[in-house]
Structures are given as C-alpha cells and as structure tokens.
C-alpha cells in the first residue's frame, strides 16, 4: 500500500494560506497602530497604558505576535530551503531562528499581560 507522504507534513497550499492570513493580521495591526500614532496629539504613558489595558487590544496584539511567529517560521523555512544547501546547517539555523521567534512571542506575552 502506498501512503501519501505529503499528508504527514504541511503542503504548499497550507503555507500559502497561512502566509496570506498572517500577513493580513500583521497589516491590520500595523494600520491600527499607525492610526493610533497619527490621531494621538500628545502620546503619554497614561494613553499608551490605556490602549493596552483593554482585553480587545491584548487579544489583537497576541494575534499579531503569533501571526509574526508563524509568518517568520514559514518564510525562513522557504528562504533557508532555497539558499542553504547543507541539510545539517539548515536544520541548525531553522532550530535557532524558531527558538528566537518563540522567545519573541514569549517576551511579548510577559510584557503584554503585565500591563
């Protein structure tokens, strides 16, 4: 019996949809933050803390952080697959960069939920 090896790992369509969905979340977050900076006359710590104290903003920021991590993981996998031919070096780089991306989200969570 022949098994489909592609079913074990992700495929191109899943990567495509994931990249587009995460890009949309990152774009929406960037537009919102740009609007906040443009529309706020005098940005103080009180206003900044007020922005991030609401549950909706915390969830939106968390979604943006996770979207950045997923976007980075897929993008780096594609770039490293194209340009790093040594499988061992590529695996090591992917491991290190994935740990950094996860650390980015972890630090963001501590900062975000500490407000």
């Amino acid at each position: 019996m022949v098994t489909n090896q592609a079913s074990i790992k992700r495929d191109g369509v899943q990567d495509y949809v994931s990249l587009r969905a995460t890009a949309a979340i990152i774009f929406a977050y960037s537009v919102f933050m740009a609007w906040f900076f443009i529309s706020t006359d005098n940005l103080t710590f009180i206003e900044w803390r007020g922005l991030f104290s609401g549950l909706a903003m915390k969830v939106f920021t968390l979604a943006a952080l996770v979207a950045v991590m997923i976007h980075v993981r897929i993008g780096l996998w594609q770039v490293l697959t194209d340009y790093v031919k040594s499988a061992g070096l590529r695996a090591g780089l992917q491991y290190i960069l994935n740990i950094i991306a996860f650390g980015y989200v972890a630090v963001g969570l501590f900062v975000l939920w500490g407000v």
Side-chain angles (χ1 to χ4, degrees):
M1 174 181 275
V2 177
T3 59
N4 184 2
Q5 294 298 321
S7 66
I8 296 172
K9 298 182 180 181
R10 64 180 194 261
D11 59 357
V13 174
Q14 183 181 359
D15 284 348
Y16 179 83
V17 171
S18 296
L19 281 174
R20 294 322 178 261
T22 57
I25 293 169
I26 295 166
F27 177 73
Y29 189 79
S30 299
V31 168
F32 176 78
M33 291 304 292
W35 171 80
F36 178 75
F37 284 124
I38 291 169
S39 66
T40 305
D41 293 332
N42 188 13
L43 186 60
T44 62
F45 178 74
I46 295 168
E47 291 174 358
W48 186 253
R49 186 174 181 148
L51 173 68
F52 284 97
S53 65
L55 182 63
M57 188 61 189
K58 288 183 180 184
V59 170
F60 192 30
T61 303
L62 176 62
L65 285 171
V66 172
V68 167
M69 183 181 73
I70 293 169
H71 202 86
V72 163
R73 290 189 71 206
I74 295 171
L76 286 175
W77 173 79
Q78 291 175 342
V79 170
L80 291 174
T81 301
D82 288 343
Y83 293 109
V84 179
K85 298 303 178 190
S86 171
L89 178 61
R90 184 172 59 240
L93 285 172
Q94 283 177 331
Y95 178 76
I96 290 168
L97 294 171
N98 284 333
I99 293 297
I100 291 170
F102 180 77
Y104 176 70
V105 172
V107 169
L109 283 173
F110 284 119
V111 171
L112 179 66
W113 293 102
V115 172

